[in-house]
Amino acid sequence: MAASIDAKGVFTICPTPFDDALRVDTDSIRTLVDFLLETGVTGLAILGFLGELHKLSNDERRLVLETFVKHTDGRVPVWVGVRAHGIAGAIEQAREAQELGASAVFAAPLDNASDALLFDYYKAVAEAVKIPVVIHDFPDSFGTEIRPEVVARLGREGGVHMIKMEEPPVGQKISRIRELVPDADMAIFGGLGGVYFLEELQRGAVGTMTGFAFPEILVAIYERYASGDHAGAAAIFDRYCPLIRYEFQPKIGLALRKYVYQRRGAIKSHALRAPAMRIDPVTAAELEATVARVGLSLGATSRQPVQG
């Protein structure tokens, strides 16, 4: 089930489950996959920044990749994160992902790279594999800005036709990319926890590629918007925005997400590897109150009805 320029919808960024001893929990990977597919997501994105890729050994990365792909079994596409210090390392990771059944890779930029180096880097990775390469544009985490002009050139000349765009202010950058390159050459996905999902769609994004422990909400927003019911999409977004905002807090967002997934029965433990900020009892109570305030339940382990 290969990804392509036609890809759209909600690709959820998956956490990497660990057990309480901080070992990769393959059983929880399987239950997480089944849980997420029930929520109606278009695809799964694994081994991203919030998948704790940078905290895994090479053998663990391969185990996580193999387990996700095998258990998903072609039901939806699985996109795999790539992050390396050089072009050769990125190509190695991308080829491994392709070999193990990934439908696409989303590649972080090289550190402090120039425009010319960024173009050469993404073009080289795209030429090295047969599956699509997605630009992962997240300068707050990676420290490298990918200018709209570079994105447009990659779409026209570099064989790279999708971007996960996470550089605020997102609206202006999406609009600039749309001015420079047509939809046919560059599909734009949003991110940032869904905090700007409605505005991303309004500016021309084809979906989102982000983590959120109630992905059925993002699915409902996208489906309403894609059907032409823009007011309905806005109503859903407005209703659940307090929870979307609360979960996507810097430094502690992953801890919140894993806590919710554990409470919803998707994973066994909300353990994180260091370095990480962990959830405390006061924060857990705040999170639970926010979930209740928008009309959801942490006790319901299946897809919940979305209102708007």
Side-chain angles (χ1 to χ4, degrees):
M1 187 176 249
S4 70
I5 191 65
D6 295 326
K8 56 190 175 183
V10 177
F11 283 72
T12 194
I13 296 284
C14 304
T16 298
F18 302 115
D19 63 21
D20 289 336
L22 297 180
R23 296 168 300 209
V24 171
D25 182 355
T26 54
D27 287 340
S28 284
I29 289 177
R30 297 181 188 96
T31 57
L32 178 62
V33 167
D34 292 338
F35 174 88
L36 290 171
L37 294 189
E38 188 183 348
T39 68
V41 297
T42 306
L44 306 179
I46 66 171
L47 297 175
F49 187 74
L50 290 181
E52 298 180 85
L53 168 64
H54 51 303
K55 304 174 188 178
L56 301 175
S57 69
N58 288 338
D59 287 344
E60 287 175 327
R61 186 183 74 237
R62 187 179 181 95
L63 173 63
V64 169
L65 202 167
E66 286 178 323
T67 308
F68 267 105
V69 170
K70 183 176 181 180
H71 193 70
T72 302
D73 194 27
R75 289 177 286 175
V76 296
V78 178
W79 296 2
V80 177
V82 166
R83 190 181 186 191
H85 293 296
I87 294 176
I91 288 174
E92 181 179 65
Q93 290 182 26
R95 284 177 170 166
E96 179 185 60
Q98 175 179 264
E99 171 196 337
L100 296 177
S103 300
V105 292
F106 54 103
L110 300 178
D111 293 343
N112 301 310
S114 65
D115 288 356
L117 180 54
L118 285 170
F119 177 82
D120 290 344
Y121 162 68
Y122 280 108
K123 184 173 186 289
V125 176
E127 289 176 343
V129 293
K130 297 178 181 179
I131 57 177
V133 173
V134 184
I135 302 164
H136 190 179
D137 180 22
F138 195 3
D140 283 353
S141 289
F142 301 138
T144 301
E145 179 183 353
I146 307 174
R147 297 192 310 116
E149 290 75 13
V150 177
V151 175
R153 186 182 173 206
L154 283 165
R156 291 192 304 265
E157 307 169 24
V160 179
H161 301 295
M162 290 187 284
I163 181 171
K164 170 179 162 64
M165 214 292 293
E166 301 187 283
E167 182 184 0
V170 295
Q172 286 86 338
K173 188 165 184 178
I174 291 173
S175 291
R176 180 58 178 156
I177 293 170
R178 285 277 69 90
E179 290 172 2
L180 293 170
V181 64
D183 294 7
D185 286 333
M186 185 61 63
I188 301 172
F189 286 83
L192 295 174
V195 173
Y196 307 106
F197 190 26
L198 182 65
E199 292 80 10
E200 290 162 350
L201 292 171
Q202 291 169 341
R203 294 273 188 153
V206 299
T208 190
M209 188 179 169
T210 193
F212 181 48
F214 288 91
E216 58 264 51
I217 293 171
L218 301 180
V219 170
I221 293 168
Y222 173 77
E223 289 178 345
R224 288 282 187 92
Y225 196 90
S227 73
D229 183 7
H230 296 180
I236 296 171
F237 179 81
D238 291 346
R239 178 183 178 93
Y240 297 103
C241 203
L243 178 58
I244 295 171
R245 175 194 66 87
Y246 192 87
E247 190 190 284
F248 193 69
Q249 291 185 66
K251 299 181 181 179
I252 202 170
L254 179 58
L256 299 172
R257 189 169 300 157
K258 281 193 165 184
Y259 179 83
V260 174
Y261 275 134
Q262 181 192 36
R263 290 290 306 275
R264 298 192 72 187
I267 59 178
K268 293 177 185 175
S269 171
H270 62 266
L272 300 99
R273 285 185 176 175
M277 181 176 288
R278 288 164 174 78
I279 196 168
D280 59 86
V282 175
T283 304
E286 285 179 348
L287 173 60
E288 291 173 11
T290 304
V291 170
R293 194 166 87 237
V294 298
L296 297 170
S297 170
L298 289 176
T301 58
S302 59
R303 180 174 181 169
Q304 295 189 47
V306 176
Q307 302 176 28

